[in-house]
Amino acid sequence: EAMEKERDAPSYTAETLSILRRRHPEHEFSLLVGGDSLAELHLWREPARIVAQASLAVMARPGSPTPSE
């Protein structure tokens, strides 16, 4: 979908997931993040809302530490 390009306001993952879930209620969503991003997820806007709306799939990135949990 082109919704990210069409938005005037800053794009936040929690809001994007809300929009996608409204448009496609029949789907379950997964969010692919790097291990380095997972370590900083608590700093993102509305992290609890993110994990409530999508399963997290975490991938190691070369040169980045892998979180232990």
Side-chain angles (χ1 to χ4, degrees):
E1 295 196 27
M3 70 178 179
E4 291 292 307
K5 293 187 330 184
E6 296 169 357
R7 293 177 68 183
D8 292 330
S11 177
Y12 296 105
T13 303
E15 186 58 30
T16 298
L17 287 168
S18 291
I19 293 167
L20 287 170
R21 289 171 54 91
R22 280 195 303 274
R23 290 183 183 180
H24 307 284
E26 71 281 8
H27 293 273
E28 291 186 25
F29 292 90
S30 295
L31 178 64
L32 178 62
V33 296
D36 55 327
S37 294
L38 178 65
E40 296 182 352
L41 187 64
H42 67 283
L43 301 173
W44 291 22
R45 179 180 221 125
E46 301 184 83
R49 189 171 160 212
I50 292 170
V51 298
Q53 297 183 94
S55 299
L56 295 182
V58 183
M59 185 170 187
R61 293 192 210 206
S64 296
T66 303
S68 59
E69 294 184 26

